[in-house]
Amino acid sequence: MTNQNAGSPTNKEDRLDTPGIPPMQLHHIGFKTAKFLEMREFYRAFLGVHPTLEVESMVGFYTFDLAHHRLVLFHDPTCTNQVPTSPGMHHVAFNYTLDDLMRVYQRLKHKGLLPDMVMNHGPNTSFYYRDPDNNALELQVDNYGPDLRKGLEAMRALQTHSNPLEALGVLVNPETFLKAWQEGATLTELHERSYAGEFVEGAPSLPIGRAAEEPTGDTSASKGE
């Protein structure tokens, strides 16, 4: 048997100086929080997760499919509110079909959870939310459906846009976008109409990276109370 040094290639074709090997998928995300119960209830409503393992006062593992976990919440009572100027993860995004995204939007609205901002970025249309710890969350639909190559080409084409800010996308009013969907507009039609600015009027205009002084766990403002 040939001895193999730790860290050495396992195959003649392996090279250690090549780019990283792409993973099969992004498996799960983990947050630490002082608001464990509030965060747990939020993600049950937001993603429809259910627990697979919970260790009292320490950690909870949750999933929305057959994976053993997709979300981890670590309970840390010493956590403080985020500092807007600190580096770190900007947001987490979840992909949906158009129909499911519209149903999720309506269900969350019924629970008093409204998006900070909705924007058609060109390759995708995104609904941005905040969890009780002020983490930014994105629910999106690929505007070209399952054809990832078209979405990639659309993203690359934005590199040559004359206005960098406009290249980021067009704001969308989720209510008029929803109404058009309810009236039978297809994914392609909604993309074209929203990207042309048809649903801009009345759209939330908060920037993606806004830094709130307080986390938005209290949804009373969203309910108009």
Side-chain angles (χ1 to χ4, degrees):
M1 179 180 294
T2 303
N3 291 328
Q4 191 170 42
N5 295 327
S8 64
T10 59
N11 186 297
K12 289 182 180 180
E13 297 179 357
D14 287 343
R15 289 176 55 88
L16 299 181
D17 58 351
T18 56
I21 299 172
M24 293 172 58
Q25 61 180 188
L26 178 64
H27 188 270
H28 68 271
I29 57 175
F31 295 114
K32 63 178 182 177
T33 179
K35 303 176 179 178
F36 183 84
L37 295 179
E38 192 175 350
M39 288 281 279
R40 181 177 66 177
E41 291 309 305
F42 173 86
Y43 281 99
R44 281 178 171 175
F46 191 72
L47 295 178
V49 298
H50 57 270
T52 56
L53 173 65
E54 292 184 312
V55 181
E56 187 175 357
S57 301
M58 291 181 61
V59 63
F61 298 83
Y62 308 88
T63 192
F64 47 68
D65 58 13
L66 293 179
H68 42 79
H69 68 287
R70 294 298 189 187
L71 171 70
V72 191
L73 296 177
F74 297 94
H75 186 204
D76 183 353
T78 67
C79 287
T80 58
N81 289 346
Q82 295 181 20
V83 178
T85 55
S86 295
M89 183 179 66
H90 186 277
H91 68 277
V92 178
F94 300 90
N95 202 44
Y96 287 86
T97 65
L98 173 63
D99 290 351
D100 282 347
L101 180 58
M102 292 295 91
R103 294 185 182 106
V104 168
Y105 166 70
Q106 293 177 87
R107 184 173 60 84
L108 292 177
K109 183 177 68 169
H110 180 71
K111 295 177 180 292
L113 299 172
L114 296 177
D116 277 351
M117 182 181 75
V118 180
M119 179 173 279
N120 183 337
H121 293 290
N124 56 289
T125 297
S126 302
F127 289 57
Y128 293 92
Y129 293 82
R130 295 273 174 172
D131 73 11
D133 276 341
N134 206 35
N135 296 303
L137 306 165
E138 175 184 356
L139 306 182
Q140 70 152 46
V141 58
D142 283 321
N143 287 331
Y144 296 93
D147 194 338
L148 298 183
R149 187 174 297 279
K150 284 187 177 180
L152 179 60
E153 291 171 352
M155 176 68 83
R156 287 174 171 167
L158 294 175
Q159 188 67 55
T160 60
H161 200 290
S162 59
N163 186 322
L165 288 178
E166 290 183 0
L168 294 177
V170 180
L171 288 170
V172 173
N173 183 328
E175 284 299 299
T176 51
F177 188 90
L178 171 66
K179 186 174 185 294
W181 172 75
Q182 292 173 328
E183 292 172 347
T186 65
L187 175 61
T188 298
E189 291 169 345
L190 284 170
H191 166 46
E192 293 175 348
R193 291 168 62 182
S194 58
Y195 209 51
E198 181 176 337
F199 308 129
V200 168
E201 185 175 354
S205 57
L206 292 170
I208 302 172
R210 77 160 173 84
E213 294 181 0
E214 296 292 338
T216 56
D218 182 359
T219 59
S220 60
S222 297
K223 297 177 181 178
E225 298 175 354

